[in-house]
Amino acid sequence: MLSTAGGGLLTGCSGGTGASSDASGRSGEERLRAAEARASMELLARYDATIAVHGGLAERLRPLRGEVARHAEAFGATAGAGASGVPRGASGDAGPEASAEASAHEAGASPGHEAGVEAAHEAGHEAGHEAGAASSGPSPAGSPSSPRADGVPGDEKAALAALADAERRTADNRAKALGSASPELARLLASVAAAGAAHAYLLGSDS
């Protein structure tokens, strides 16, 4: 009887450990997918910023951007997610709340309020213009390649090189993560990392 009872306890303990291990594995897998989704969304934001600054590169960059968007979706990022790349179901979407708040603000704005905002905006614009005129001077040499506030270099070749570096770093990080991924996720990581390396090559081929 004691032997049988002991065996039952061991079996129950073993089963509980297995379930805990499975849950831990799934949690680690979800975290890795979420991290890769964020990385893809950040890369996507870089493409969007570069295209916004250098419209002449749009035709060249859009096919690569499209692939990056598909990679983000493959890792579970929502189609409308920002650079955070939150996977589906990981958190609530704040979009509707933000839209509702904006609508309520617009509905409750009075003519006097709008006039005050417009006057303040014009005054601020004039003050900023005067300050800029007073402090303006010749641009330093090499400034076209200096990063802007959005992180995009002003020179097209430098902007392509920055994108290539971002693709290369992301691909390298994904290659390093292969060992901690499940077979299915590892195949996805390897495929996307190879695509990222190809993107880096194409972006730097004639930059």
Side-chain angles (χ1 to χ4, degrees):
M1 286 292 293
L2 289 175
S3 176
T4 302
L9 288 173
L10 287 174
T11 302
C13 180
S14 177
T17 302
S20 176
S21 177
D22 289 344
S24 176
R26 284 195 298 272
S27 178
E29 190 92 344
E30 290 169 0
R31 285 196 299 270
L32 182 55
R33 279 186 177 273
E36 297 305 331
R38 285 193 297 272
S40 289
M41 294 302 294
E42 289 169 2
L43 200 53
L44 195 63
R46 284 178 176 268
Y47 272 94
D48 288 340
T50 302
I51 290 173
V53 174
H54 301 290
L57 296 175
E59 185 176 353
R60 177 178 179 180
L61 296 181
R62 277 182 185 135
L64 303 182
R65 182 203 179 280
E67 286 193 7
V68 173
R70 288 191 290 274
H71 297 161
E73 291 177 1
F75 286 119
T78 56
S84 62
V86 179
R88 294 183 181 89
S91 68
D93 185 2
E97 294 178 5
S99 299
E101 182 179 351
S103 298
H105 176 74
E106 292 173 1
S110 65
H113 174 76
E114 292 177 357
V117 171
E118 183 177 353
H121 175 74
E122 290 178 357
H125 177 73
E126 291 176 1
H129 178 73
E130 292 174 0
S135 61
S136 62
S139 300
S143 60
S145 62
S146 301
R148 296 155 43 95
D150 51 18
V152 179
D155 178 73
E156 286 191 356
K157 289 186 176 181
L160 289 174
L163 263 181
D165 287 342
E167 284 274 20
R168 192 176 296 110
R169 285 195 303 270
T170 304
D172 290 344
N173 289 337
R174 283 169 173 163
K176 293 175 183 177
L178 288 173
S180 59
S182 66
E184 180 183 359
L185 182 55
R187 285 192 293 271
L188 177 59
L189 283 169
S191 175
V192 175
H199 290 180
Y201 174 78
L202 292 173
L203 290 166
S205 60
D206 55 8
S207 62

